[in-house]
Amino acid sequence: MKHGRIFFNGNIVQVTQAADGRVRLPDGRLLLEADCHWLPPLQAGTVFALGLNYADHAAELAFKAPEVPLVFLKGPNTLIGHRARTRRPQDATYMHYECELAVVIGQTCKNVPKERALDMVAGYTVANDYAIRDYLENYYRPNLRVKNRDGCTPLGPWLTDAADVPDPQALRLSTRINGQTTQQGSTADMVFDVATLIAYLSSIMTLQPGDVILTGTPEGLADVQAGDVVETEIEGLGCLINCVVADAEFFA
């Protein structure tokens, strides 16, 4: 099942996806997906993000794939919903999307063995973790300005139950800018798979329900401009749409 959250009639409402793709309210009424005011599909806890977790992306940036997971944290201020707007600052010369599988933890866990790690997952969703190359000081440790800007990480539209994703390492990813495909990849190419990441993170700290792991992006990054519509899609999970806007529009 696919679960989401929208702002409807002045309230935050939990919704599900109907068989025809429309949005089902708790009372059974149906809305068109494009007519909804979307929020991230969950109230996130700690947000973990992976750097250089696809070998082809590391090579694209002329780096070796890491030998241990490169993890940094993101604040809740970064998360926005489906069809929301992300600001491209006026001084940016290169801003790119990052289509990522987002893993949502479903239960409190610590020191989880890899063979049990996927049992800790509540579900999966789509993330687009924008970065501005101009602000990047170190690819191995992205700084606050790159990865913690307000609204820089659209998430959604749906949280798909883990039971409906039998193998998170067999999902196709793609990104389109204004309808043109610019990125394609597969979660099979992760350096550290989902189970390994959960085992690693839970060996360091207790994971809680609602914690989110952004698992990295494959090669195929491209600069986005104000006015672009960016679609990040993962097989079986859905298509996350985001609009890039300039300062003048964002602060209007």
Side-chain angles (χ1 to χ4, degrees), residues 35-114:
D35 292 341
C36 295
H37 179 166
W38 290 88
L39 302 170
L42 75 153
Q43 187 70 44
T46 301
V47 180
F48 304 91
L50 271 293
L52 305 177
N53 197 36
Y54 283 75
D56 57 2
H57 176 49
E60 179 181 34
L61 300 174
F63 284 102
K64 276 181 57 179
E67 296 180 3
V68 296
L70 297 175
V71 186
F72 55 95
L73 301 181
K74 296 174 62 70
N77 62 296
T78 63
L79 302 180
I80 54 175
H82 179 53
R83 294 188 178 276
R85 305 182 309 164
T86 293
R87 170 184 169 231
R88 179 187 169 109
Q90 186 174 0
D91 65 352
T93 61
Y94 194 100
M95 173 174 167
H96 63 76
Y97 51 78
E98 293 185 4
C99 179
E100 306 198 22
L101 174 67
V103 181
V104 178
I105 298 298
Q107 55 185 288
T108 302
C109 56
K110 181 78 167 74
N111 291 323
V112 180
K114 181 178 177 179

Side-chain angles (χ1 to χ4, degrees), residues 140-205:
Y140 289 101
R141 292 287 182 266
N143 60 15
L144 190 72
R145 196 179 182 204
V146 175
K147 288 295 188 177
N148 278 281
R149 294 171 296 108
D150 292 343
C152 69
T153 309
L155 193 73
W158 301 107
L159 174 62
T160 302
D161 288 343
D164 296 327
V165 185
D167 185 358
Q169 304 308 143
L171 304 175
R172 293 190 300 273
L173 304 88
S174 61
T175 300
R176 295 179 292 277
I177 301 177
N178 302 324
Q180 180 178 354
T181 299
T182 52
Q183 181 183 41
Q184 291 182 304
S186 170
T187 57
D189 297 326
M190 287 182 190
V191 178
F192 303 103
D193 62 19
V194 172
T196 298
L197 293 173
I198 294 171
Y200 175 77
L201 293 170
S202 71
S203 74
I204 299 170
M205 60 184 284

Side-chain angles (χ1 to χ4, degrees), residues 103-109 117-123 162 198 207-212:
V103 181
V104 178
I105 298 298
Q107 55 185 288
T108 302
C109 56
L118 294 185
D119 296 338
M120 305 299 114
V121 177
I198 294 171
L207 302 182
Q208 301 288 354
D211 287 351
V212 179

Side-chain angles (χ1 to χ4, degrees), residues 205-220:
M205 60 184 284
T206 301
L207 302 182
Q208 301 288 354
D211 287 351
V212 179
I213 305 171
L214 307 183
T215 57
T217 196
E219 69 174 340

